Amino acid sequence: MRFKFLSLAAAVLLVSACSSTPETATTASTGGTTAAVPTNTTGPVPGSAEDFVVNVGDRVFFGFDRYDLTPEATATLDRQAAWLKQYQNVTITVEGHADERGTREYNLALGERRATAVKNYLVALGVDTARVQTISYGKERPAVLGSNEAAWAQNRRGVTVIN
Amino acid sequence: MRKPSFLTRLRRAVVAALAACALGTGFLALPAQAELSIDITSGKVDPKPIAVTTFYGDSPQAQTIGQNISKVISANLERSGLFRPIDPSRFIQTPEQLRNGTPRYADWRVIDAQGLVVGGVQQLPDGRIRIEFRLFDVLAGQQMTGLAYNVQPDGWRRVAHIISDAIYKRITGEDGYFDTRVVYIAESGPANQRVKRLAIMDQDGENHRFLTDGRVLVLTPRFSPTAQEITYLSYFNNRPRVYLFNIDTGRQEVLGDFPGMTFAPRFSPDGNKVIMSLAQNGNTDIYTLDLRTRRQTQLTNSPAIDTAPSYSPDGSKIVFESDRGGTQQLYTMNADGADVKRITFGHGRYGTPVWSPRGDLIAFTRIADGRFYIGVVRPDGTGERMLTEAFHVEGPTWAPNGRVLMFFKERPTGDGNRQRQAKLFSIDLTGFNERQVVTPTDASDPAWSPLIP
């Protein structure tokens, strides 16, 4: 048993060594809000991630098991594309998310479809494809807690995160 | 070459012991009728009363080991739902009296025991211990089987599982599943910032270890056929990819060089390939990676989501899920991707198919009318049957004998109940004997190992 224990202890050490880079994208994606808040003279710095979230809107929502963009979504993405053209040095990661009412692997694929739908729309509006990365979190990172339609609707989303 | 692992060495010891053992005159002299047996295919069974006596030890250390072995065997048999271990305080004959010769069957009949497990632990001069056991059919008054194992003292727990498997097999006619492990995802923290870690344990929850530290999101671990490696999804560096984890060495490596997210991995039955999905530009297809040549082969080519592939035990077929027909459904195809056939047509959506190690059934998750189900269906699409349902059950995995499944269950989150709760459960193929598998934290994505080689 000693032999086994030592090899497992070594395993934990190796894992720790491999994962020394902390994740940051997930925390950035959960703090945002969709509602445009009235700005005042002490608002976010233009061109900042906060400016993007507050004044443009960082996320779009999808129907159940859907990845097509609604008119509300394209309106948001039109604003995102205009902002991205204004701030050409910014790169983004589009996160695709699903609600909790699907199986894990299907939702990973669905999240990837949603992130790609957002990316393709932004690129079609002239955003350089090299500035846009995508990632799917499936159902792993809900924005809103709760097992009800309102929460699920908020969680079926594509979130544009300023890198 | 690496050194033989603890498990390999133990297996060699067991094989040597098996070759050398022939305990008792009744060994393999089996009565043709009225013997103790259980038909595990018949739905709800009446658990058979069995007396698992304390294994007699010839030293204080051996006595402690003997007591522990009996407890592990008794718990295994009880959990199977097929046996009802009798309270040891009712036993009349003592371990010392049972040590030599045949049991006094009348003493066991009077407490309604049908099976009787007797054993001993003996110190050997070389520091190892010898563990013997015998299983008796009390009503027929005969020994049913008996085995002996020479192992290092800390190998006692595995021997207890191997003995449990021997008892299960002798009485049910089916291979056991007690000498197995479970790898799963240990969960903690709020639902929107869930920390997920790879964890591994024996099937009874003992020898629990975390394999990753939780800083990187990990999902869907699955065992290799030797149970020495795990393939899983890791978000290391925010690049979700399929990885390989060697349990003995702790070594991790990314599998393949794919241009997008890879996920939903499983080993081929021969262990030479990992089959998985690649998601790229909004499309998900199924690929294999040959672990020897590193060659990547694309098996499906549709604009749909094709994922969750699982091989048949002979490696000739693959079951997977696809929404090519409009919603998530199960399909089979040949191992080269040819001859795709849809096999589910029921109400609702079907995902996470897993081929039984026996080859006769495919387990799945079904979603219908807002409820989740675990069910099984024959590979030709007939005989669909639901085993359990809840607000959320998902991700079945088979015990190696194809008679028991494990899955996870989540309860809804709400205002008064903000924490997600996820737990592992096992259930018999008959749909009976659903039990929680106790884990130190919340748990999901279980994968049951093969019998440990």
PDB file of all heavy atoms in Angstrom, chain A residues 32-46:
ATOM      1  N   GLY A  32     -21.120  40.395 -15.205  1.00  0.00           N
ATOM      2  CA  GLY A  32     -21.683  41.402 -16.098  1.00  0.00           C
ATOM      3  C   GLY A  32     -23.183  41.542 -15.946  1.00  0.00           C
ATOM      4  O   GLY A  32     -23.850  40.757 -15.302  1.00  0.00           O
ATOM      5  N   THR A  33     -23.697  42.564 -16.585  1.00  0.00           N
ATOM      6  CA  THR A  33     -25.138  42.767 -16.580  1.00  0.00           C
ATOM      7  C   THR A  33     -25.566  43.182 -17.972  1.00  0.00           C
ATOM      8  O   THR A  33     -24.785  43.763 -18.730  1.00  0.00           O
ATOM      9  CB  THR A  33     -25.532  43.840 -15.548  1.00  0.00           C
ATOM     10  OG1 THR A  33     -26.895  44.189 -15.782  1.00  0.00           O
ATOM     11  CG2 THR A  33     -24.695  45.099 -15.703  1.00  0.00           C
ATOM     12  N   THR A  34     -26.799  42.884 -18.319  1.00  0.00           N
ATOM     13  CA  THR A  34     -27.263  43.205 -19.662  1.00  0.00           C
ATOM     14  C   THR A  34     -27.859  44.592 -19.744  1.00  0.00           C
ATOM     15  O   THR A  34     -27.848  45.212 -20.783  1.00  0.00           O
ATOM     16  CB  THR A  34     -28.334  42.196 -20.089  1.00  0.00           C
ATOM     17  OG1 THR A  34     -29.320  42.156 -19.074  1.00  0.00           O
ATOM     18  CG2 THR A  34     -27.726  40.851 -20.309  1.00  0.00           C
ATOM     19  N   ALA A  35     -28.423  45.042 -18.651  1.00  0.00           N
ATOM     20  CA  ALA A  35     -29.133  46.312 -18.694  1.00  0.00           C
ATOM     21  C   ALA A  35     -28.147  47.471 -18.853  1.00  0.00           C
ATOM     22  O   ALA A  35     -27.149  47.533 -18.149  1.00  0.00           O
ATOM     23  CB  ALA A  35     -29.939  46.488 -17.415  1.00  0.00           C
ATOM     24  N   ALA A  36     -28.445  48.338 -19.780  1.00  0.00           N
ATOM     25  CA  ALA A  36     -27.606  49.515 -19.935  1.00  0.00           C
ATOM     26  C   ALA A  36     -27.944  50.495 -18.812  1.00  0.00           C
ATOM     27  O   ALA A  36     -29.080  50.911 -18.639  1.00  0.00           O
ATOM     28  CB  ALA A  36     -27.846  50.166 -21.297  1.00  0.00           C
ATOM     29  N   VAL A  37     -26.963  50.805 -18.009  1.00  0.00           N
ATOM     30  CA  VAL A  37     -27.180  51.682 -16.864  1.00  0.00           C
ATOM     31  C   VAL A  37     -26.931  53.118 -17.316  1.00  0.00           C
ATOM     32  O   VAL A  37     -25.985  53.391 -18.052  1.00  0.00           O
ATOM     33  CB  VAL A  37     -26.202  51.304 -15.722  1.00  0.00           C
ATOM     34  CG1 VAL A  37     -26.301  52.282 -14.566  1.00  0.00           C
ATOM     35  CG2 VAL A  37     -26.475  49.890 -15.271  1.00  0.00           C
ATOM     36  N   PRO A  38     -27.801  54.068 -16.908  1.00  0.00           N
ATOM     37  CA  PRO A  38     -27.558  55.460 -17.302  1.00  0.00           C
ATOM     38  C   PRO A  38     -26.166  55.908 -16.854  1.00  0.00           C
ATOM     39  O   PRO A  38     -25.765  55.667 -15.725  1.00  0.00           O
ATOM     40  CB  PRO A  38     -28.649  56.225 -16.536  1.00  0.00           C
ATOM     41  CG  PRO A  38     -29.693  55.216 -16.219  1.00  0.00           C
ATOM     42  CD  PRO A  38     -28.996  53.912 -16.086  1.00  0.00           C
ATOM     43  N   THR A  39     -25.477  56.524 -17.755  1.00  0.00           N
ATOM     44  CA  THR A  39     -24.113  56.929 -17.424  1.00  0.00           C
ATOM     45  C   THR A  39     -24.104  58.347 -16.889  1.00  0.00           C
ATOM     46  O   THR A  39     -24.989  59.149 -17.159  1.00  0.00           O
ATOM     47  CB  THR A  39     -23.213  56.870 -18.670  1.00  0.00           C
ATOM     48  OG1 THR A  39     -23.847  57.622 -19.701  1.00  0.00           O
ATOM     49  CG2 THR A  39     -22.994  55.461 -19.111  1.00  0.00           C
ATOM     50  N   ASN A  40     -23.118  58.640 -16.102  1.00  0.00           N
ATOM     51  CA  ASN A  40     -22.918  60.020 -15.664  1.00  0.00           C
ATOM     52  C   ASN A  40     -21.475  60.397 -15.958  1.00  0.00           C
ATOM     53  O   ASN A  40     -20.738  59.636 -16.594  1.00  0.00           O
ATOM     54  CB  ASN A  40     -23.274  60.182 -14.183  1.00  0.00           C
ATOM     55  CG  ASN A  40     -22.501  59.206 -13.321  1.00  0.00           C
ATOM     56  OD1 ASN A  40     -21.340  58.927 -13.607  1.00  0.00           O
ATOM     57  ND2 ASN A  40     -23.146  58.677 -12.299  1.00  0.00           N
ATOM     58  N   THR A  41     -21.080  61.523 -15.483  1.00  0.00           N
ATOM     59  CA  THR A  41     -19.761  62.023 -15.858  1.00  0.00           C
ATOM     60  C   THR A  41     -18.640  61.198 -15.263  1.00  0.00           C
ATOM     61  O   THR A  41     -17.517  61.224 -15.725  1.00  0.00           O
ATOM     62  CB  THR A  41     -19.604  63.487 -15.393  1.00  0.00           C
ATOM     63  OG1 THR A  41     -20.006  63.546 -14.025  1.00  0.00           O
ATOM     64  CG2 THR A  41     -20.449  64.409 -16.227  1.00  0.00           C
ATOM     65  N   THR A  42     -18.926  60.402 -14.226  1.00  0.00           N
ATOM     66  CA  THR A  42     -17.889  59.581 -13.638  1.00  0.00           C
ATOM     67  C   THR A  42     -18.083  58.119 -14.038  1.00  0.00           C
ATOM     68  O   THR A  42     -17.836  57.215 -13.263  1.00  0.00           O
ATOM     69  CB  THR A  42     -17.882  59.703 -12.111  1.00  0.00           C
ATOM     70  OG1 THR A  42     -19.193  59.306 -11.645  1.00  0.00           O
ATOM     71  CG2 THR A  42     -17.592  61.109 -11.664  1.00  0.00           C
ATOM     72  N   GLY A  43     -18.567  57.866 -15.246  1.00  0.00           N
ATOM     73  CA  GLY A  43     -18.834  56.511 -15.719  1.00  0.00           C
ATOM     74  C   GLY A  43     -17.560  55.778 -16.074  1.00  0.00           C
ATOM     75  O   GLY A  43     -16.450  56.250 -15.807  1.00  0.00           O
ATOM     76  N   PRO A  44     -17.706  54.602 -16.674  1.00  0.00           N
ATOM     77  CA  PRO A  44     -16.549  53.780 -17.025  1.00  0.00           C
ATOM     78  C   PRO A  44     -15.638  54.496 -18.032  1.00  0.00           C
ATOM     79  O   PRO A  44     -16.093  55.316 -18.820  1.00  0.00           O
ATOM     80  CB  PRO A  44     -17.187  52.547 -17.667  1.00  0.00           C
ATOM     81  CG  PRO A  44     -18.622  52.588 -17.301  1.00  0.00           C
ATOM     82  CD  PRO A  44     -18.975  54.003 -17.050  1.00  0.00           C
ATOM     83  N   VAL A  45     -14.377  54.151 -17.984  1.00  0.00           N
ATOM     84  CA  VAL A  45     -13.406  54.690 -18.932  1.00  0.00           C
ATOM     85  C   VAL A  45     -13.761  54.182 -20.334  1.00  0.00           C
ATOM     86  O   VAL A  45     -13.905  52.978 -20.530  1.00  0.00           O
ATOM     87  CB  VAL A  45     -11.985  54.238 -18.557  1.00  0.00           C
ATOM     88  CG1 VAL A  45     -10.964  54.749 -19.577  1.00  0.00           C
ATOM     89  CG2 VAL A  45     -11.644  54.694 -17.150  1.00  0.00           C
ATOM     90  N   PRO A  46     -13.945  55.087 -21.310  1.00  0.00           N
ATOM     91  CA  PRO A  46     -14.262  54.626 -22.679  1.00  0.00           C
ATOM     92  C   PRO A  46     -13.223  53.649 -23.183  1.00  0.00           C
ATOM     93  O   PRO A  46     -12.019  53.860 -23.001  1.00  0.00           O
ATOM     94  CB  PRO A  46     -14.255  55.924 -23.482  1.00  0.00           C
ATOM     95  CG  PRO A  46     -14.538  56.993 -22.479  1.00  0.00           C
ATOM     96  CD  PRO A  46     -13.906  56.541 -21.201  1.00  0.00           C
TER      97      PRO A  46
END
